[in-house]
Amino acid sequence: MILKNIKIFIKQLSKNKLYSLVTIFGFSVSLMFIVLISAYLKQESSVDKFHEKKDRLFRLVNEDDSGFGATIGRKLADALPEVESYTRIFDYNQYCTPVNSGSDNKLNAEILMVDSAFFNMFSFKLLEGLPNEVLNAKNSILLTPKFARALFGDISPVGKQIKSSDGSIMQVTGIFEEMPENTQFKKYDAIVNIRLLPNFMGWKEVLDNNNMCGFTYYVLAKQGTNILAKEEQALDLLKTDLWTYKDGRVKTFGFEPITESYFSDKPGNIRQNSKTLITVLLTIVLIILLLAIINYVNLTIAQSGFRNKEVAIRKLMGSSRIALIYEHVTESVMFSFIAAIIGVFLAFLAEPVFNKLLDTHIDLLHYAGPTDLLIVVFAMLVIGIISGLFPSLLLTKLKPVEVVKGSFRTKTKTSYSKVLVSFQFAATIALIVCAITITKQTRYMQNFDMGFKKDNIVQIDKAFPKEKRQAFNDILQQIPGVEQVSFVCGTPLSGGNNQSFTYNSKPVSFQEFLVDTAFFSMMGISYTPTGVAWSDNVLWLNKNAIKELGLDPLPKSFKRYDEEFPVYGVVEDFHFSDLHQPVGLAMLSPLNDKKWSWNVLVKISGKNIAGSMAQIKSAYSSFTDNDPFDYKFLDSEVDSWYKKEANTSKIITWFSVLTIIISVMGILALVTLFNQLRTKEIGVRKVNGAKISEVMVTLNKDFVKWVAVAFVIATPVAYYAMNKWLENFAYKTTLSWWIFALAGFLALGIALLTVSWQSWRAATRNPVEALRYE
């Protein structure tokens, strides 16, 4: 029986080549994207679920973020018996050089600073060293294999010493495997005991007070306890110990399960993903799958006119309806498996492009185990059955007498395909609207006036004391193409340094920038002088601070931390974070001779950027004794703020193109088959004097109706979805009417071009041949 069905299946493939090509290709391309997105979704949904103690691991969060003071962990552990251990995490950048190794390698290291309990809490793999020992010493450092080889070559680095750029000597106590892709922790070169942070920062008291709320905390709850029930008690403790809670700036506290942190809306020093993006991808997977199934059902129904005689004869010969249904479903399952093989092959070819598009590193071979293969087989079986069941029920429902009368053809072409094709076009129109809107918003953000100049300005992240600033400035000014140099503490890219205090009994949070005299002209940031005399402790306030604090009329001085500072000017608002957030409160102060600068801003001409950068790098290396040259262009960095939106735009655009291709192929095959079914009607119309244009209008009008119905369905759905998405931005583009009109016209144009080609061929055929054929 199965062999017989295979023979019939092969016969049908060769008999209806267009139908076979469209069906298999549509399924294959759809399944390629489904395989890739499914692997990505599986990877993202597994984030941090590999930790053995994941059910007892929690991140500390408040209503805004996950930043807390340095002493909070110890106080919570002392007050709550449910806390078994905790760790703070903090990102830091340092230059690392091997000590007494004969190597002069000096490399920039991305460092994760943690408490000693880190490896006992998390299940990150140690290649060398024991979890309860590697971070016990204050000067402990662990390296990834890649970074260890870069510093020490092929010799074992354990026991060797490393000198950091601040002069600290660290001893290598272990090697850890690079952070896996399915964790919220970023990729790091090294892990260091957090007790070294005071040395790195030059701030001895940084771990002894809560002035800096930049630490992300994780706690491990004791087995059998319910730490979530202690949130209120923890909140009461924070209200007495942490100034952000005392001032009322922060009002909530929570223990967030570690498996939820990756998709949390509470930012911190971790990798996170957008629930919206995952929802979009999941929706697209379902839409593509539905479109592929609809194409198959639609084409099967459309070509049923060529198989109804076969079905009628077999029914007259005694075949049961169950047997006929089984045959058609078997064909559908075979289609699915052929498409699956081709689709998986295409997925492996497209994997590098997909990884680049989503900025991820999925490995399909990782998902090629027996369980995954069984899932694919089962999925193809289900898809094949679903795809083949409806058309088989329809085909086997006919009565042999209907075949003679031809009434089944009429029912087929008028009753079933319209709904399915309308759904295809509705999905296409909705995706086109989403693609245009997201692209429009991304370009709006990238081209938005941030309030500062960003073209041809380079930011070099390097700290300099006063005596070295002037010397380095003189060297840079001699390079052709260098127009201006500015030394600052904090830039619009880094957001400056947070200063939170109480002003007139109101908790306020400012971002402070320490700048030199070249900063304002280089960045194009203007200010209005207040007439106050210059002094070393003057400051500038931005317009938003004046507005938010009600400083009208403007006072001559501004009080913070019980000290009065003369207000020298009012600065025009400029952005120091992406456009998801409104402009915050900012103050700018002079960079005095006692303070180190954090960054160097260099304005270069646009004539020979590559040549200027090569000379700047050479001068920097000579001046700093070959310190790694860590730089970025301001315009590129601002664009990178919206990388997620840009990638989402690309993804939806690609899937819009895919849905268009699937729809076009389906319509092309459908109109070809429908026109063949209407061969006699076309011939009669032409014999009776109908013009080619009249025949084409007759053949095309049904498809135009389908597009109109699809437009009515898609418009409110797309409008609602895009309105919700745009709510994530403080500054957003408008959801203009022309976007929907353009999507509708594109869909209509695609439909008419596809249909008209086949309709013209049918309308220009000799009517005598048509009638003889019929």
Side-chain angles (χ1 to χ4, degrees):
M1 184 69 177
I2 295 176
L3 183 61
K4 180 182 177 182
N5 288 339
I6 292 174
K7 289 181 179 179
I8 296 173
F9 173 67
I10 295 173
K11 181 180 178 182
Q12 290 299 325
L13 284 179
S14 58
K15 186 177 180 181
N16 301 299
K17 294 182 178 62
L18 178 62
Y19 159 77
S20 303
L21 177 65
V22 170
T23 306
I24 293 176
F25 180 80
F27 254 133
S28 299
V29 175
S30 302
L31 290 173
M32 174 191 75
F33 282 99
I34 290 169
V35 167
L36 289 169
I37 295 177
S38 297
Y40 175 72
L41 293 176
K42 184 175 181 180
Q43 174 181 283
E44 297 301 278
S45 64
S46 68
V47 167
D48 286 313
K49 292 183 179 177
F50 63 89
H51 297 295
E52 293 179 8
K53 302 172 183 177
K54 61 180 181 296
D55 296 332
R56 297 192 286 135
L57 285 168
F58 299 86
R59 185 174 69 132
L60 308 189
V61 295
N62 55 48
E63 68 261 36
D64 296 323
D65 52 39
S66 60
F68 291 88
T71 70
I72 294 304
R74 182 72 268 158
K75 291 179 179 179
L76 286 176
D78 292 340
L80 303 178
E82 290 82 1
V83 175
E84 180 176 315
S85 58
Y86 71 91
T87 183
R88 297 159 289 187
I89 71 166
F90 193 84
D91 291 355
Y92 212 87
N93 252 345
Q94 282 282 55
Y95 303 136
C96 293
T97 307
V99 176
N100 300 325
S101 67
S103 171
D104 59 353
N105 288 340
K106 183 186 289 187
L107 301 177
N108 186 34
E110 295 286 342
I111 295 174
L112 174 64
M113 309 200 76
V114 301
D115 284 291
S116 58
F118 182 80
F119 282 102
N120 284 323
M121 294 172 61
F122 300 98
S123 300
F124 295 117
K125 189 174 181 180
L126 281 173
L127 302 178
E128 292 188 51
L130 299 175
N132 58 343
E133 296 178 359
V134 289
L135 286 168
N136 284 347
K138 176 182 176 179
N139 67 335
S140 301
I141 182 171
L142 293 91
L143 310 176
T144 63
K146 181 179 179 181
F147 194 70
R149 282 193 299 271
L151 279 178
F152 295 97
D154 294 329
I155 64 174
S156 174
V158 176
K160 300 288 192 295
Q161 290 184 327
I162 293 174
K163 183 179 180 179
S164 62
S165 49
D166 71 293
S168 298
I169 302 297
M170 299 171 288
Q171 185 165 348
V172 180
T173 56
I175 303 294
F176 69 98
E177 192 175 80
E178 187 175 273
M179 296 293 182
E181 197 66 32
N182 61 335
T183 181
Q184 61 193 265
F185 289 89
K186 303 172 187 175
K187 302 287 185 181
Y188 294 98
D189 301 307
I191 295 177
V192 173
N193 192 309
I194 203 167
R195 285 186 288 162
L196 266 181
L197 185 60
N199 298 40
F200 285 0
M201 296 186 73
W203 182 3
K204 294 181 179 180
E205 302 82 15
V206 65
L207 296 180
D208 300 326
N209 57 57
N210 294 316
N211 291 342
M212 185 176 76
C213 291
F215 297 93
T216 297
Y217 275 89
Y218 293 89
V219 300
L220 176 67
K222 292 180 180 177
Q223 285 187 334
T225 61
N226 181 13
I227 199 170
L228 297 177
K230 297 293 183 175
E231 289 181 347
E232 287 297 327
Q233 184 178 340
L235 179 60
D236 292 337
L237 177 66
L238 293 175
K239 286 179 180 178
T240 61
D241 285 343
L242 192 57
W243 60 268
T244 54
Y245 284 87
K246 288 179 181 179
D247 292 343
R249 189 171 73 88
V250 180
K251 298 180 177 63
T252 67
F253 172 83
F255 292 104
E256 181 182 75
I258 189 176
T259 52
E260 297 177 7
S261 298
Y262 185 61
F263 293 110
S264 171
D265 58 356
K266 308 292 191 290
N269 299 325
I270 59 173
R271 292 173 57 243
Q272 290 180 294
N273 203 347
S274 166
K275 286 183 179 179
T276 302
L277 177 60
I278 298 300
T279 303
V280 166
L281 292 177
L282 190 58
T283 303
I284 287 174
V285 165
L286 295 176
I287 289 175
I288 290 175
L289 183 58
L290 277 174
L291 289 178
I293 292 174
I294 285 171
N295 246 13
Y296 178 80
V297 171
N298 229 354
L299 294 172
T300 304
I301 292 173
Q303 63 96 41
S304 62
F306 300 104
R307 298 194 67 180
N308 53 16
K309 286 185 180 180
E310 172 200 336
V311 174
I313 292 171
R314 292 185 64 182
K315 290 189 78 173
L316 289 171
M317 296 294 293
S319 291
S320 66
R321 189 183 183 193
I322 296 297
L324 293 172
I325 290 174
Y326 176 78
E327 176 189 319
H328 284 85
V329 170
T330 302
E331 288 181 18
S332 176
V333 171
M334 291 178 184
F335 264 117
S336 297
F337 278 101
I338 291 174
I341 294 170
I342 299 173
V344 170
F345 174 73
L346 293 175
F348 275 99
L349 293 179
E351 184 184 298
V353 178
F354 187 81
N355 280 332
K356 185 177 180 180
L357 194 62
L358 274 179
D359 192 23
T360 187
H361 300 88
I362 62 167
D363 181 6
L364 291 178
L365 287 175
H366 180 70
Y367 300 103
T371 303
D372 298 295
L373 293 176
L374 283 175
I375 291 173
V376 171
V377 170
F378 179 75
M380 290 303 98
L381 188 62
V382 172
I383 291 171
I385 292 172
I386 293 173
S387 303
L389 197 57
F390 177 69
S392 66
L393 290 172
L394 182 64
L395 279 171
T396 57
K397 185 180 178 181
L398 65 84
K399 297 177 182 178
V401 69
E402 287 184 324
V403 177
V404 179
K405 292 182 178 180
S407 59
F408 182 73
R409 288 186 181 182
T410 304
K411 292 176 183 177
T412 299
K413 71 180 181 181
T414 59
S415 302
Y416 301 104
S417 297
K418 294 179 182 179
V419 174
L420 300 178
V421 172
S422 292
F423 178 84
Q424 280 185 315
F425 272 113
T428 301
I429 292 169
L431 283 175
I432 291 174
V433 169
C434 294
I436 295 174
T437 303
I438 295 174
T439 301
K440 188 167 179 269
Q441 173 66 16
T442 303
R443 289 179 179 174
Y444 173 83
M445 293 187 294
Q446 290 172 339
N447 298 320
F448 190 84
D449 183 5
M450 303 293 287
F452 62 87
K453 293 179 181 178
K454 58 183 188 293
D455 295 335
N456 299 327
I457 297 179
V458 182
Q459 175 179 316
I460 303 172
D461 295 326
K462 173 66 177 177
F464 284 108
K466 183 261 178 184
E467 57 272 16
K468 288 191 175 182
R469 289 202 292 267
Q470 188 59 50
F472 189 50
N473 177 70
D474 293 341
I475 292 173
L476 292 178
Q477 293 286 5
Q478 295 174 13
I479 296 174
V482 172
E483 297 179 350
Q484 283 180 292
V485 180
S486 175
F487 293 86
V488 297
C489 286
T491 71
L493 293 186
S494 64
N497 189 32
N498 181 261
Q499 297 287 351
S500 297
F501 50 91
T502 301
Y503 181 80
N504 288 344
S505 302
K506 178 182 179 181
V508 293
S509 179
F510 275 84
Q511 294 304 119
E512 182 182 31
F513 302 85
L514 304 183
V515 301
D516 62 11
T517 54
F519 176 81
F520 291 100
S521 60
M522 177 191 292
M523 301 300 293
I525 297 174
S526 61
Y527 67 89
T528 303
T530 61
V532 172
W534 175 264
S535 63
D536 288 340
N537 67 334
V538 299
L539 56 76
W540 295 262
L541 298 177
N542 70 344
K543 282 188 172 181
N544 191 50
I546 304 299
K547 177 184 176 182
E548 290 293 322
L549 300 181
L551 301 179
D552 189 16
L554 183 67
K556 291 188 176 183
S557 63
F558 184 79
K559 185 177 182 180
R560 69 167 177 169
Y561 301 130
D562 298 323
E563 186 178 352
E564 295 285 345
F565 293 85
V567 179
Y568 189 74
V570 178
V571 178
E572 294 293 326
D573 287 333
F574 64 93
H575 288 263
F576 39 84
S577 63
D578 62 41
L579 297 181
H580 291 87
Q581 306 295 331
V583 174
L585 309 184
M587 63 173 62
L588 293 86
S589 304
L591 178 65
N592 60 43
D593 294 344
K594 296 179 182 179
K595 295 181 179 178
W596 287 51
S597 63
W598 300 344
N599 320 97
V600 185
L601 296 173
V602 183
K603 175 69 182 295
I604 59 177
S605 68
K607 293 181 180 178
N608 184 16
I609 295 176
S612 297
M613 288 306 300
Q615 293 186 63
I616 292 172
K617 181 179 179 180
S618 176
Y620 175 89
S621 298
S622 299
F623 189 80
T624 62
D625 192 23
N626 292 317
D627 280 355
F629 187 50
D630 186 11
Y631 74 97
K632 53 182 75 76
F633 282 92
L634 265 62
D635 53 355
S636 298
E637 286 298 304
V638 170
D639 286 345
S640 72
W641 287 354
Y642 313 112
K643 187 176 182 180
K644 188 180 294 183
E645 286 76 19
N647 285 343
T648 304
S649 172
K650 290 177 183 177
I651 292 167
I652 294 184
T653 299
W654 276 106
F655 287 125
S656 298
V657 171
L658 175 60
T659 59
I660 289 170
I661 292 172
I662 293 174
S663 299
V664 165
M665 294 181 70
I667 292 170
L668 182 62
L670 277 174
V671 73
T672 302
L673 294 166
F674 279 3
N675 288 346
Q676 289 175 353
L677 294 174
R678 300 178 73 172
T679 301
K680 181 177 180 180
E681 176 190 341
I682 294 169
V684 171
R685 286 179 181 272
K686 292 196 68 176
V687 167
N688 283 294
K691 299 177 182 178
I692 292 176
S693 59
E694 292 173 341
V695 174
M696 288 185 65
V697 168
T698 302
L699 295 175
N700 289 2
K701 65 181 181 181
D702 278 347
F703 287 90
V704 174
K705 292 178 183 177
W706 298 348
V707 175
V709 171
F711 182 79
V712 172
I713 295 170
T715 297
V717 174
Y719 181 83
Y720 174 79
M722 287 297 93
N723 251 337
K724 293 292 289 183
W725 183 75
L726 287 172
E727 288 177 1
N728 295 316
F729 303 91
Y731 302 87
K732 53 196 172 189
T733 187
T734 55
L735 196 56
S736 307
W737 64 268
W738 63 262
I739 297 175
F740 299 90
L742 178 60
F745 278 118
L746 281 174
L748 181 61
I750 291 164
L752 287 177
L753 284 174
T754 307
V755 173
S756 296
W757 173 47
Q758 288 296 326
S759 298
W760 181 82
R761 290 183 62 190
T764 54
R765 180 179 293 173
N766 190 324
V768 175
E769 292 181 6
L771 293 175
R772 182 186 299 123
Y773 170 82
E774 189 64 23

